[in-house]
Amino acid sequence: MKIQLWLFFGMVFYTSLYSLNPVIRPGVYLADPAARVFNDGKMYIFSAKDIKPDIMCSESYDVLSSSDLINWQVAENVFASKGTNDQIEYTDNLLYGPDCVFKNGQYLLYYSHQNGGSDVGLAVGNKPVGPFKYAQILKGVNQMLPSIFTDDDGQSYITYGFFSLHVAKLKPSMTEIDTSTILSSLLTEEEHHFHEGGQLFKRQGIYYIVYTQISKRGMATAL
């Protein structure tokens, strides 16, 4: 599925299929984006990268960055499961949508891929554009498309899932979830038209989840 990225007040929304992306050069296709602003004031977009319009995902990630939301730079191949900069010893499979946060003095890249089942892993870097290394499986998660949220008290949570959204606390190490806190099927396809890409936010004391919903087949929208 090809998803066009539009930036509006720092939020990333999903639009029509097979469209070019206005923030990067034609011919580059991204999906399942996560937008982050770090201490340098720049916005970074972490996403899966499609090889072609009709070939979903690839074995590497690129990272987009901008200080003005007009001019964008692309850091290529910051992390890979195959080929140049391969950092995952246990699989060569395609990489799905990632997320990245800064915690414990490092940039933590949470990636997802197909590895028998769908798994989430963690790699670390000294910069938001990588390179990211030391890949390992995130213990306790067995689905894909992770998103990380850190609350005001410093506690971090992970949301993940495909057709069904799950949420759990991350342990202080950020390498493992507290399985006793897992809330399963927080959103579902049947009840909420949930497809994937759930991202948790907080604004003025209220929690929001933005996700891709499929109440209209053939379109990807965010609620």
Side-chain angles (χ1 to χ4, degrees):
M1 179 181 291
K2 301 298 155 307
I3 299 177
Q4 183 181 20
L5 307 179
W6 289 93
L7 294 180
F8 179 72
F9 295 119
M11 295 290 290
V12 178
F13 291 88
Y14 304 92
T15 56
S16 60
L17 304 178
Y18 295 104
S19 297
L20 294 180
N21 190 314
V23 302
I24 55 174
R25 64 183 182 274
V28 177
Y29 306 95
L30 303 180
D32 302 320
R36 294 288 182 181
V37 177
F38 294 118
N39 290 337
D40 60 5
K42 292 182 179 181
M43 175 171 283
Y44 294 85
I45 296 178
F46 301 87
S47 69
K49 181 177 66 176
D50 294 345
I51 299 172
K52 295 179 180 180
D54 57 345
I55 301 179
M56 184 183 71
C57 297
S58 63
E59 293 89 7
S60 67
Y61 289 143
D62 297 342
V63 176
L64 280 67
S65 63
S66 176
S67 58
D68 58 12
L69 304 187
I70 298 173
N71 300 292
W72 292 85
Q73 292 76 47
V74 181
E76 298 183 340
N77 196 29
V78 301
F79 182 77
S81 62
K82 185 178 181 180
T84 304
N85 200 29
D86 183 354
Q87 296 294 326
I88 307 179
E89 296 182 354
Y90 56 85
T91 185
D92 292 334
N93 290 336
L94 296 173
L95 294 171
Y96 302 145
D99 196 4
C100 184
V101 295
F102 182 76
K103 196 166 185 180
N104 299 336
Q106 294 178 308
Y107 292 92
L108 308 176
L109 178 74
Y110 290 84
Y111 60 91
S112 56
H113 58 86
Q114 191 83 24
N115 184 40
S118 295
D119 291 323
V120 171
L122 169 65
V124 299
N126 294 322
K127 299 178 181 179
V129 293
F132 295 95
K133 301 179 179 181
Y134 314 116
Q136 59 181 297
I137 288 288
L138 182 67
K139 298 177 182 178
V141 179
N142 61 358
Q143 290 197 33
M144 59 182 184
L145 299 175
S147 180
I148 309 301
F149 167 74
T150 300
D151 211 341
D152 299 333
D153 61 359
Q155 174 64 56
S156 293
Y157 299 80
I158 182 171
T159 59
Y160 57 94
F162 187 68
F163 296 123
S164 180
L165 180 69
H166 313 283
V167 62
K169 287 184 177 181
L170 281 160
K171 293 185 176 182
S173 67
M174 302 293 285
T175 64
E176 185 176 358
I177 69 170
D178 182 348
T179 55
S180 69
T181 67
I182 295 176
L183 293 177
S184 298
S185 302
L186 189 64
L187 298 173
T188 65
E189 181 185 30
E190 181 179 25
E191 186 175 356
H192 308 95
H193 306 291
F194 175 83
H195 183 63
E196 61 185 5
Q199 297 182 17
L200 180 62
F201 300 91
K202 186 178 183 180
R203 182 176 183 272
Q204 296 180 354
I206 299 176
Y207 297 89
Y208 300 86
I209 293 180
V210 178
Y211 62 94
T212 302
Q213 66 101 335
I214 51 174
S215 59
K216 296 183 179 179
R217 294 286 179 174
M219 297 181 63
T221 59
L223 288 181

